[in-house]
Amino acid sequence: MSFDAAKAKNTIENGKAILGIEFGSTRIKAVLVDEANQPIASGSHEWENQLVNGVWTYSLEAIWGGLQDCYSDLVADVKKQYDTELESLAAIGFSAMMHGYLAFDKNDELLVPFRTWRNTITEQAAKELSALFDFNIPQRWSVAHLYQAILNGEEHVKDVAFFTTLAGYIHWQMTGQKVIGIGDASGMFPIDSETRDYNKGMIDKFNELVAPKGYPWKLQEILPKALLAGEDAGVLTEEGAKKLDVSGRLKAGIPICPPEGDAGTGMAATNSVAVRTGNVSAGTSVFAMIVLEKALSKAYPEIDMVTTPTGDAVAMVHCNNCTSDLNAWVGLFREFSEAFGVEVDMNRLFGTLYNKALEGDKDCGGIVAYNYFAGEPVTGLNEGRPLMVRTPDAKFNLANFMRANLYASLATLKIGLDLLLKNEDVQVDRIMGHGGLFKTKGVGQSILAAAMNSPVSVMETAGEGGAWGIAILASYQVNKKEGESLDAFLNESVFAGNAGSEVQPDAADVAGFDAYIESYKAGIAIEKAAVEAI
C-alpha cells in the first residue's frame, strides 16, 4: 500500500486516527493508525523494572512519566511528519504485559508496590491453587500473587478493594472504569469460555479457601469486570486526558476499548484469533498460542490456559530459550571469517548458514544440541548449560550441525506442543510465525512446520507488534459493522487477503524432527548432569 502523507495529515486533523499504546517490559510504544489500520506515526519511551526489597516493580511515577513521555514522543513525530497537532482521536487502546499485582484500598491508594509478572515469589500459592482448581495457575498470575500475600499473612490484604493488571490500572485512570479485556483477565484468574467470564466454580472454591481469614471482601468483588473486544469500556475523561497529554491539547470523550494484555495484542497483530489458528513468536525466548475448539482433557503444568480478546480458550506453551545459542554459533563463524581477513555481512552469514541446514539429514545425523542459556520449566531445568552431543559415528558436517541448532531452538516448544497436538489431538489449520527466527526466508518457517506438522505462514506486518495490535482492537471498537466478529474484521478490514507466505510441512522433515526429539528427550539427563557438574 502506497503511503499518502496528505491523506494521513487529513485523518489526524479530522480526529479520525486511532491510538494504541503498549507497555512492554523495556519499552512503552505508541502507534497511530489511519482508517485503513495502517501505522502513520509512532512514539516510544525506554524504561526498566527495579528490584526493590526482593520484588521486581515499576513505580507509579515511572508508569506515568513513561506514558506521558511516550505520548509526547508520538506528538513530536506527528508534528515532524505532518506539521500538525494531535487534538482528537477516533479511539484509543491501552495494553501491557500481563499478570502481576496492583492492589488498591477503598480510597484508591496503592497498598504495596506493583508486583510484576517477572517475580517468582508465589511458588506455594501457585502450587496450592493449581491443585485446588485442577487447572495450571502459573506463578506470575494475579490470583497467585493475591493468595501468596494471604499465605504470607500480609497486613494489606484485608484492605484490598480492587486489584488489577497494569493495562487495567491505566484504563481505570483514563476512564474511571474498573474493567479489563477478557484476554488480560485470563492472566488474573481462570476464564470459563462458555460464559465468557471468570470461572464461577473456581471463584467459589477460592472464597471457601480463604473464608477462615474473615476478610471483608469476596474475590468477585475485587476483580475488574471482564469485557470482550468491542464491548463498551468507557471514554477518556477530562482527568484522563490531562494525565495522558500534559500539554492539555487532547480532548476528552474519546472511546477507549477494553484494555488487553500482550498475548491478546499479539494474536490481533498476527491475525490469530480464530479457532484452529495460532501464532509462534520466536526470538530470545519462544512461545506458541493455539486457539482451541474444545477444552483440554486435563491440566498440564507445561501449558498455560488464556483466552483470545473475544474469550475463546487459548493453550500457550512458553519456553525461556530459543535463538541465543544459535546466534552465538553464528557469531563464532563470523570470528572465523574475520580471522582470515574476510569481513562478512551478518544477514548474508545467517542466510547462508540457515540455508545450509536445509541440506542436512532430516534427523541431524546423530547430533543433538541443547540451547539452554536459562532454565526451562517445560523440561524441568532450573538453570541451563548450552551443550552439543554426538555419537562417535554421527555425520558431523556443517549442514547437520546447523540443522541440529535450528531444531534445538524449537525442540522444547515441540515437547510442549506435542502434548496438545498428539496427546489432546488439537487441530490447527494455520500457524503464523513472527520474530527473529523467521527473518531468513523459508528456513525457520519450514523447521517450525516440521516441528508442528502444520502449515506455517509469515507476514511482513508481524513486526508491527503489540501497540499496533491494541490500535487494531480500538479500531474494531468503533469501526466494526453490526454483528461483525473480530476474526471477520481482521480478515476484511486489517489484513484484507494478506495471508503471508505459507510453507507446508514436509513429511520427511516431520519424521526427522520426531526422531530427533526422541534423542533430545533421552539426553535431558545429560543437560541436568551438566548443570550440577559445571
Side-chain angles (χ1 to χ4, degrees):
M1 186 178 286
S2 60
F3 180 68
D4 185 336
K7 192 175 174 190
K9 180 176 179 174
N10 193 44
T11 296
I12 293 164
E13 290 182 338
N14 289 331
K16 297 281 182 65
I18 290 170
L19 172 62
I21 296 182
E22 181 158 281
F23 288 74
S25 54
T26 59
R27 190 164 68 130
I28 305 169
K29 187 174 181 191
V31 169
L32 201 64
V33 302
D34 61 15
E35 292 104 322
N37 300 298
Q38 297 299 310
I40 53 175
S42 65
S44 67
H45 170 83
E46 306 290 322
W47 72 336
E48 280 294 339
N49 51 192
Q50 272 82 44
L51 189 62
V52 180
N53 299 324
V55 175
W56 288 107
T57 188
Y58 298 90
S59 68
L60 293 187
E61 292 74 23
I63 292 168
W64 290 110
L67 176 62
Q68 289 160 358
D69 186 57
C70 177
Y71 183 81
S72 297
D73 195 43
L74 171 78
V75 167
D77 189 41
V78 166
K79 182 75 176 167
K80 183 180 170 189
Q81 284 198 70
Y82 309 109
D83 192 28
T84 192
E85 302 293 345
L86 197 55
E87 293 182 352
S88 188
L89 295 156
I92 304 174
F94 294 99
S95 169
M97 47 200 150
M98 290 171 68
H99 319 297
Y101 183 72
L102 277 154
F104 299 86
D105 66 14
K106 64 180 190 300
N107 300 317
D108 299 339
E109 294 292 328
L110 186 68
L111 289 163
V112 288
F114 172 30
R115 297 170 184 179
T116 78
W117 65 272
R118 191 178 176 188
N119 290 289
T120 50
I121 53 177
T122 63
E123 186 175 6
Q124 185 187 353
K127 203 170 178 179
E128 288 186 19
L129 292 177
S130 296
L132 178 71
F133 299 153
D134 189 25
F135 186 100
N136 182 31
I137 302 291
Q139 284 203 48
R140 61 187 183 276
W141 280 32
S142 306
V143 72
H145 281 280
L146 174 66
Y147 187 52
Q148 190 66 51
I150 292 169
L151 291 175
N152 295 347
E154 293 185 39
E155 184 64 25
H156 82 270
V157 177
K158 70 179 187 323
D159 298 320
V160 175
F162 176 55
F163 77 119
T164 189
T165 63
L166 179 54
Y169 168 63
I170 298 292
H171 184 92
W172 169 39
Q173 296 298 302
M174 291 289 125
T175 63
Q177 303 289 316
K178 292 178 177 176
V179 301
I180 192 172
I182 196 165
D184 204 11
S186 72
M188 290 193 75
F189 192 85
I191 295 292
D192 179 343
S193 284
E194 295 295 316
T195 63
R196 313 264 158 171
D197 203 352
Y198 299 112
N199 186 300
K200 186 178 182 308
M202 293 183 194
I203 281 187
D204 291 344
K205 282 183 179 177
F206 184 91
N207 285 333
E208 198 178 316
L209 176 68
V210 305
K213 300 284 185 187
Y215 295 125
W217 49 260
K218 293 277 194 290
L219 183 60
Q220 64 271 27
E221 296 164 358
I222 61 172
L223 280 163
K225 179 178 168 59
L227 296 176
L228 307 185
E231 290 189 330
D232 180 17
V235 299
L236 183 66
T237 61
E238 295 284 355
E239 298 79 9
K242 289 190 185 81
K243 275 192 159 177
L244 180 58
D245 181 8
V246 291
S247 77
R249 279 198 187 87
L250 189 65
K251 295 185 174 76
I254 300 163
I256 304 185
C257 72
E260 262 304 345
D262 47 6
T265 59
M267 289 179 231
T270 55
N271 195 14
S272 308
V273 301
V275 166
R276 293 172 67 123
T277 68
N279 74 91
V280 171
S281 173
T284 307
S285 63
V286 61
F287 62 86
M289 292 187 286
I290 296 176
V291 188
L292 304 178
E293 289 178 283
K294 62 182 193 302
L296 302 181
S297 66
K298 63 175 188 172
Y300 292 89
E302 301 89 347
I303 295 167
D304 294 355
M305 293 301 303
V306 291
T307 78
T308 68
T310 51
D312 286 315
V314 174
M316 180 176 181
V317 180
H318 184 280
C319 306
N320 291 335
N321 302 279
C322 186
T323 57
S324 295
D325 196 37
L326 188 56
N327 293 345
W329 283 112
V330 174
L332 194 71
F333 285 113
R334 184 192 66 196
E335 275 193 58
F336 173 79
S337 301
E338 289 172 350
F340 277 91
V342 180
E343 288 293 326
V344 288
D345 173 73
M346 286 307 285
N347 286 333
R348 189 174 171 206
L349 182 58
F350 269 102
T352 302
L353 291 171
Y354 275 35
N355 280 296
K356 191 72 183 170
L358 298 182
E359 300 170 18
D361 292 304
K362 305 297 188 185
D363 63 355
C364 305
I367 304 170
V368 181
Y370 295 91
N371 65 335
Y372 292 175
F373 266 60
E376 198 57 85
V378 172
T379 46
L381 272 297
N382 291 325
E383 291 181 53
R385 300 289 183 272
L387 273 179
M388 176 154 287
V389 184
R390 58 190 165 108
T391 55
D393 61 346
K395 295 176 190 167
F396 191 60
N397 55 41
L398 183 59
N400 282 342
F401 174 85
M402 285 307 301
R403 194 176 188 99
N405 276 297
L406 277 163
Y407 275 13
S409 65
L410 294 173
T412 312
L413 184 77
K414 177 173 169 59
I415 290 169
L417 285 172
D418 279 352
L419 296 173
L420 296 172
L421 305 177
K422 295 180 178 178
N423 294 26
E424 294 282 340
D425 196 29
V426 168
Q427 300 297 309
V428 183
D429 296 331
R430 189 191 77 236
I431 288 288
M432 194 61 66
H434 52 115
L437 186 69
F438 304 107
K439 276 186 180 167
T440 298
K441 196 170 174 61
V443 181
Q445 208 174 343
S446 64
I447 300 287
L448 179 60
M452 296 188 66
N453 194 15
S454 167
V456 174
S457 299
V458 172
M459 264 192 261
E460 299 299 318
T461 50
E464 296 290 355
W468 184 55
I470 192 66
I472 291 169
L473 291 171
S475 176
Y476 175 65
Q477 179 89 5
V478 293
N479 292 324
K480 65 182 182 298
K481 301 185 191 88
E482 184 72 35
E484 185 177 27
S485 69
L486 178 59
D487 177 36
F489 178 80
L490 290 174
N491 281 325
E492 289 162 31
S493 299
V494 181
F495 294 94
N498 173 20
S501 57
E502 186 178 84
V503 167
Q504 291 285 336
D506 174 84
D509 284 350
V510 172
F513 209 143
D514 280 344
Y516 175 90
I517 213 73
E518 290 310 311
S519 298
Y520 187 94
K521 286 192 284 194
I524 291 287
I526 309 165
E527 176 70 19
K528 287 181 175 172
V531 170
E532 287 172 20
I534 301 174

